[in-house]
Amino acid sequence: MDKTSQNKYFSSVFDKKTMMNRFMNDAEIACGVVRVFLTDTPRQLSLLQDALKDKDLETATRIAHSIKGAAMNVGGLSLAKLAAAMEKDGHEKHIPAMEEKLGQMKKNCHDLIGILQETFHIKDIP
Amino acid sequence: MKIQDHSILVAEDDLTSRTALQLTLKKWGYAPLIAEDGEAAWEILQDETPPRLLILDWMMPRLHGIDLLRRIRSNKLESSFYIIMLTTRDSTEDIIEGLDAGADDYLTKPFNPGELRARVNVGFRVLGLQATLEKRIRELQKAVEHIQTLQGILPICSFCKKIRNDTGYWDQVESYIAKHSGTRFSHGICPDCLERHYPDFADEVRGQ
C-alpha cells in the first residue's frame, strides 16, 4: 500500500476531528473513553465470535449493535459501518454473511486500536 | 434544587458508550447513575427517591429500553419521569414507536453534546414545572378538604359553644376556626357582654 492509499485507509479507520467534537475537545474525556474502548472492544469481538460459533443470532446481533455504538464514540468510522452491516445481517437472520464480516472487523479493530494508542499515547492497554 | 434533582439514570449496555455519557454528564455537573440493562434500571427506579430524568438505550440485554419505557408508563409509578431515548435507531418508524411508547424526547447516536445538554436542560425544566404544579394541586386539595369540613355540620355545645373536633375533643370556637382556616383572631368585648360583665363601665361608656 503506497503512502496516499495508507493515509486514506487510516482516515477511514479513525476520524479524530469527529471524535474530539463529540467530546467538546475535552482530551480528558476522550482519553477516558478510548481507554475503555481499548479494553472492552476486543472482549466484545471475542464474545461475538463465540456467539457466531454457537449460531446464537440474538446475542451476535446485540453485540454487533454494541460494537457499532462503541466505534462511533471513538471515531472508528469503518468499524462502525462494518458492525452496522453485520447487525443488519443479524436482523435478516443471515448468519453466513455475519461470519464473513467477522475477519474484516477484527482486522479493522486491530488497526483502530493501534491508531488510538498512538494518538492518545497509551502504551499499555489496561 | 436538591441533589437528587441533578441525578440522571443512564441505562446503556455498551461500556464505551456508557463511559462517554457518564463522563460528559459529570463534566456538566450532573450525577449520573448507571444501569447496564433495563432490569438494573428498573431496580433503581424502585428506590424511595429515584432519578427523575432517564436516558435509555433502545437495545439492551435482559430488558430493552423500549420495553422498560412501556413498563414505566403502564405502572403509573408515584414519581413522574422525563425519559429521553438515546439510540442508533434513526428511522422515522423507530422515532414514532419510541414517542408512542411514552418517551418525552428522542435522540440518535452518536449524540451531539450541545444537543444532548440542551435536551437534558429542557427535561429538568419540565420536571421543575411538574413539581410546582403537583405542589399547587396538593395545596388546593388540602384547602378544599378544609372548606368541606367547615361547610359540614359541626357538633357544638349548646351551653359553652365549644366545637367537637375530628379527634373527638372539644375546642374553643376560635381555636377550631383558626386551625381549619388559618384565620387569626383579635379579642374585644361586644356591648351586651360589656353590660353583663362590667355594668359600671358600660354605664360610663353610655354616658359618654
Side-chain angles (χ1 to χ4, degrees), chain A:
Chain A
M1 203 187 281
D2 62 45
K3 189 94 179 161
T4 318
S5 321
Q6 201 177 33
N7 283 345
K8 206 174 165 189
Y9 171 70
F10 280 149
S11 61
S12 75
V13 170
F14 176 55
D15 181 349
K16 189 180 178 187
K17 197 179 162 197
T18 304
M19 182 200 177
M20 291 312 290
N21 279 343
R22 186 152 306 133
F23 298 120
M24 303 152 288
N25 290 308
D26 187 315
E28 205 184 322
I29 294 182
C31 199
V33 175
V34 165
R35 279 182 180 279
V36 171
F37 178 86
L38 295 179
T39 319
D40 193 52
T41 310
R43 193 178 63 87
Q44 293 290 341
L45 272 172
S46 160
L47 291 172
L48 176 61
Q49 189 168 357
D50 292 346
L52 286 173
K53 211 159 110 187
D54 297 341
K55 310 286 179 206
D56 181 351
L57 190 72
E58 197 189 324
T59 305
T61 308
R62 189 174 46 75
I63 297 172
H65 172 81
S66 281
I67 292 173
K68 177 181 72 176
M72 282 197 290
N73 271 300
V74 295
L77 297 185
S78 45
L79 180 61
K81 269 186 197 162
L82 277 167
M86 191 189 264
E87 187 190 352
K88 191 169 173 276
D89 293 335
H91 289 308
E92 289 165 2
K93 305 186 191 320
H94 199 359
I95 291 190
M98 294 174 89
E99 286 168 335
E100 255 179 55
K101 288 183 181 77
L102 184 66
Q104 212 183 336
M105 270 174 80
K106 281 165 121 177
K107 157 90 175 68
N108 202 290
C109 185
H110 175 267
D111 291 343
L112 177 60
I113 285 174
I115 298 171
L116 287 171
Q117 279 189 283
E118 202 181 309
T119 309
F120 290 93
H121 312 291
I122 300 170
K123 283 181 188 156
D124 302 309
I125 297 176

